[in-house]
């Protein structure tokens, strides 16, 4: 089956997978979605015995149908290699009745590595397939993790440049240090005086700026995206849910065909949407539990059917989830609207102009696969401390949001399904918040003293990603106002 990609807003032509990866965002401002979700065509019994790389091929070949077997296998082998510190790429750890899917064993110790390790290879392969001669400029907004993972993936990749925007006061000290010390002649990091939504809106605006596109083209450049709005980010994320299910079957924790619940700490909605796609492919997933922090715009959406970003933006200890405009939700909205592009467009226009939109009762009925929950800052700290004291297992703040929501969901719904919690970042990425949650006495220590203390109490070696930045010099110190993003891009590209 040949899978083509169409825009959620219905005013752009259908394109191949490689064309969708190159464009990032559709020309009408919509997000690319597959015209149909393909069904898994390999048995769960066969998947049980597959490596992560083999599983990736079986899943991704169904979505990226204009890639040859050789092209796709080459992208996969170059992505999932010794950059990961575990042979299995993603690890499953059982603690206190749940399975934590550790997605942070890559180069930047966050789940974004799972997709951003392969995206540069998918993108450069797509450029060759489509005979693109322009240099590709990756334009990305980050709430903390995407930025570093994208920078690491694209650093010194021929034919590409990457510009990352991040909220200057909205990421953790470790996240910022990881980004501003990034090497690579083609890498640029820019702080903005604003929040992540400001950065994301600025990037989307540049993607839709036809005058800027013409200037870029004359100078030999074209934009693409490394954000989860790019289908090349989303498809690789489907893989680890399939892999987790197969591994749980191999461990005897699940029987073939038995239902598994999934809990995902959610900001931009891409990670949980990937789990939804896995379910649509036929993976036996029961509930998709969407976990929010104090910025609980998604929790309120699932509870009321209204999406409303008109609320205070709260800086929390889980900054990658500090988001009020969840871009990938548009893909789900389009699906539950019966793939009605006019309805989708109307709601997105309402979101842009009024900051809100509501869905119909019929659409709400199609959200039965989902459940929403949220955890306050106090609950997040309690979850980290409680799990550590009970089991010795240390989780980061984002994973703690999901873990807390899981326990509340299980108690309220009496649902005893085997559950996988997406563990989206290493505790080393948010050391101060994690250690303060365990014991307030740690607040007197410096950031890297905390790193060493975390290693001591957890028994987990300090990741290479953290060791590298202890003494690394700052290479990027540009900061601009949120309305200065376009000008700095033109300045960095000298156009």
């Amino acid at each position: 089956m040949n899978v083509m990609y169409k825009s959620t807003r219905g005013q752009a032509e259908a394109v191949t997978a490689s064309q969708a990866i190159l464009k990032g965002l559709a020309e009408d401002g919509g997000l690319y979605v597959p015209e149909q979700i393909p069904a898994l065509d390999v048995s769960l019994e066969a998947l049980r015995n597959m490596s992560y790389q083999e599983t990736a091929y079986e899943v991704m070949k169904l979505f990226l149908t204009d890639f040859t077997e050789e092209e796709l296998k080459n992208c996969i082998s170059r992505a999932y290699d010794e950059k990961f510190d575990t042979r299995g790429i993603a690890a499953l750890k059982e603690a206190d009745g749940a399975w934590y899917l550790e997605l942070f064993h890559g180069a930047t110790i966050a789940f974004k590595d799972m997709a951003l390790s392969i995206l540069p290879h998918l993108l450069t392969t797509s450029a060759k397939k489509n005979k693109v001669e322009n240099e590709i400029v990756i334009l990305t907004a980050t709430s903390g993790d995407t930025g570093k993972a994208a920078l690491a993936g694209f650093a010194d990749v021929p034919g590409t440049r990457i510009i990352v925007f991040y909220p200057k006061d909205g990421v953790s000290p470790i996240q910022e240090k990881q980004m501003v010390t990034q090497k690579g002649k083609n890498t640029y990091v820019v702080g903005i005086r604003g929040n992540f939504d400001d950065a994301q809106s600025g990037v989307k605006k540049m993607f839709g700026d036809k005058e800027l596109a013409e200037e870029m083209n004359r100078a030999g450049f074209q934009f693409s995206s490394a954000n989860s709005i790019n289908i090349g980010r989303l498809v690789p994320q489907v893989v680890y849910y399939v892999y987790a299910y197969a591994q749980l079957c191999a461990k005897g924790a699940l029987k073939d065909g038995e239902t598994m619940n999934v809990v995902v700490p959610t900001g931009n909605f891409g990670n949980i949407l990937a789990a939804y796609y896995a379910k649509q492919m036929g993976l036996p997933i029961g509930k998709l539990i969407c976990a929010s922090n104090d910025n609980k715009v998604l929790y309120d959406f699932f509870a009321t059917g209204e999406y409303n970003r008109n609320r205070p933006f709260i800086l929390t200890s889980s900054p990658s989830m500090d988001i009020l405009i969840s871009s990938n939700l548009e893909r789900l909205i389009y699906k539950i609207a019966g793939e009605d592009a006019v309805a989708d467009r109307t709601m997105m226009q309402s979101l842009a102009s009024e900051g809100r939109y509501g869905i119909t009762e019929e659409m709400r009925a199609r959200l039965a696969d989902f459940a929403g929950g949220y955890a306050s800052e106090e609950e997040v700290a309690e979850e980290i401390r409680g799990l550590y004291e009970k089991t010795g297992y240390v989780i980061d703040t984002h994973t703690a949001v999901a873990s807390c929501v899981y326990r509340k969901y299980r108690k309220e719904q009496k649902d005893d399904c085997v559950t996988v919690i997406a563990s989206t970042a290493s505790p080393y990425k948010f050391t101060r918040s994690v250690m303060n949650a365990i014991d307030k006495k740690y607040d007197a220590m410096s950031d890297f003293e905390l790193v060493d203390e975390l290693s001591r109490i957890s028994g987990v070696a300090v990741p290479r990603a953290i060791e590298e930045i202890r003494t690394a010099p700052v290479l990027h110190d540009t900061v601009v106002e949120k309305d200065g993003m376009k000008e700095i891009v033109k300045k960095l590209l000298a156009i």
Side-chain angles (χ1 to χ4, degrees):
M1 179 176 73
N2 185 37
V3 176
M4 297 290 284
Y5 289 80
K6 57 186 176 181
S7 169
T8 50
R9 303 195 188 176
Q11 295 177 315
E13 289 181 10
V15 296
T16 63
S18 63
Q19 289 168 334
I21 288 167
L22 277 171
K23 287 175 181 289
L25 195 66
E27 285 159 6
D28 61 358
L31 277 61
Y32 284 115
V33 291
E35 288 190 332
Q36 60 275 332
I37 303 287
L40 273 172
D41 62 359
V42 59
S43 70
L44 292 171
E45 186 179 4
L47 283 165
R48 274 206 307 261
N49 301 311
M50 287 186 186
S51 67
Y52 191 89
Q53 293 85 343
E54 290 166 334
T55 306
Y57 177 72
E58 292 300 331
V59 172
M60 293 174 68
K61 73 176 186 184
L62 302 173
F63 286 96
L64 310 182
T65 53
D66 67 327
F67 283 70
T68 67
E69 180 178 349
E70 182 185 6
E71 285 170 340
L72 190 50
K73 284 185 172 177
N74 181 49
C75 290
I76 289 167
S77 67
R78 290 170 72 187
Y80 304 114
D81 56 12
E82 67 280 353
K83 290 192 294 294
F84 288 81
D85 64 15
T86 176
R87 280 187 63 197
I89 307 301
L92 279 161
K93 298 286 176 68
E94 189 176 13
D96 198 23
W99 289 91
Y100 291 81
L101 178 60
E102 293 184 347
L103 300 171
F104 53 73
H105 288 279
T108 74
I109 58 174
F111 83 101
K112 306 295 173 74
D113 290 323
M114 302 300 291
L116 283 163
S117 293
I118 195 168
L119 183 61
H121 304 296
L122 294 175
L123 193 66
T124 51
T125 302
S126 296
K128 284 177 193 164
K129 291 174 78 66
N130 290 278
K131 298 180 172 55
V132 170
E133 293 180 4
N134 281 344
E135 195 167 354
I136 296 164
V137 178
I138 306 300
L139 196 61
T140 293
T142 185
S143 54
D145 288 339
T146 288
K148 175 59 181 180
L151 288 160
F154 281 94
D156 293 324
V157 170
T160 70
R161 298 195 196 188
I162 176 163
I163 304 172
V164 169
F165 289 97
Y166 75 97
K168 178 70 181 112
D169 299 314
V171 300
S172 79
I174 295 287
Q175 284 178 313
E176 183 172 42
K177 188 84 187 282
Q178 281 188 300
M179 286 189 283
V180 298
T181 57
Q182 177 65 49
K183 296 175 184 175
K185 291 179 181 175
N186 65 336
T187 64
Y188 309 92
V189 180
V190 181
I192 70 156
R193 294 185 182 93
N195 59 40
F196 170 72
D197 289 333
D198 296 323
Q200 182 168 250
S201 297
V203 164
K204 280 188 168 183
K205 194 173 177 182
M206 280 186 273
F207 270 104
D209 189 329
K210 289 185 169 53
E211 187 182 310
L212 179 59
E214 287 169 11
E215 282 186 74
M216 295 268 294
N217 188 50
R218 284 196 297 272
F221 298 113
Q222 69 185 65
F223 283 139
S224 189
S225 173
N227 277 87
S228 53
I229 56 175
N230 192 319
I231 200 72
R233 266 282 305 274
L234 192 59
V235 168
Q237 292 181 267
V238 178
V239 174
Y240 46 73
Y241 294 107
V242 177
Y243 181 73
Y245 187 93
Q247 289 301 300
L248 288 176
C249 289
K251 291 174 185 289
L254 279 173
K255 296 184 179 74
D256 280 7
E258 189 180 351
T259 298
M260 165 184 94
N261 285 346
V262 174
V263 191
V264 186
T266 309
N268 222 10
F269 208 76
N271 201 359
I272 197 165
L273 184 72
Y276 176 73
Y277 277 17
K279 179 168 182 169
Q280 297 283 303
M281 294 180 82
L283 195 70
I285 291 176
K287 280 290 183 185
L288 298 152
I289 302 163
C290 179
S292 298
N293 65 13
D294 277 329
N295 290 292
K296 55 191 179 73
V297 64
L298 287 166
Y299 168 78
D300 291 340
F301 167 72
F302 285 112
T304 67
E306 182 185 61
Y307 192 96
N308 187 343
R309 67 173 175 85
N310 299 315
R311 61 183 69 203
F313 185 96
I314 302 168
L315 292 174
T316 74
S317 61
S318 47
S320 297
M321 299 164 65
D322 291 347
I323 294 170
L324 294 180
I325 304 173
S326 299
S327 285
N328 272 290
L329 186 63
E330 181 173 351
R331 287 184 165 114
L332 180 65
I333 293 297
Y334 176 73
K335 182 78 174 172
I336 64 173
E339 302 197 346
D340 182 341
V342 175
D344 177 85
R345 210 158 58 234
T346 301
M347 284 183 274
M348 294 308 117
Q349 285 167 352
S350 177
L351 180 63
S353 61
E354 298 168 32
R356 63 202 298 168
Y357 62 82
I359 61 173
T360 65
E361 286 304 314
E362 187 179 5
M363 290 170 71
R364 285 192 75 181
R366 291 176 179 155
L367 290 174
D369 291 338
F370 291 87
Y374 80 96
S376 69
E377 284 289 88
E378 293 76 16
E379 288 173 324
V380 167
E382 284 169 17
E383 187 69 20
I384 292 168
R385 182 172 59 255
L387 191 64
Y388 169 69
E389 289 175 351
K390 195 171 186 180
T391 68
Y393 187 54
V394 182
I395 56 176
D396 93 293
T397 46
H398 303 73
T399 307
V401 170
S403 188
C404 178
V405 166
Y406 158 68
R407 292 183 206 292
K408 289 199 277 191
Y409 169 83
R410 190 173 177 180
K411 185 178 179 182
E412 290 164 8
Q413 301 300 322
K414 307 290 188 282
D415 183 346
D416 291 329
C417 259
V418 173
T419 298
V420 166
I421 294 171
S423 185
T424 53
S426 164
Y428 283 100
K429 201 138 190 173
F430 304 94
T431 320
R432 185 164 298 279
S433 295
V434 168
M435 296 300 281
N436 276 351
I438 291 170
D439 195 322
K440 293 289 186 190
K441 71 181 182 186
Y442 291 123
D443 200 37
M445 292 184 176
S446 70
D447 286 334
F448 284 101
E449 285 174 334
L450 288 172
V451 163
D452 294 329
E453 183 67 6
L454 174 56
S455 179
R456 187 187 69 78
I457 69 165
S458 67
V460 176
V462 178
R464 190 168 62 239
I466 298 297
E467 290 292 1
E468 285 173 351
I469 63 169
R470 278 187 194 260
T471 56
V474 170
L475 302 174
H476 308 273
D477 58 5
T478 303
V479 180
V480 299
E481 300 297 333
K482 62 185 179 184
D483 57 2
M485 292 169 64
K486 177 177 172 179
E487 288 311 308
I488 196 66
V489 165
K490 291 172 70 172
K491 183 178 178 182
L492 292 172
L493 299 177
I495 60 172

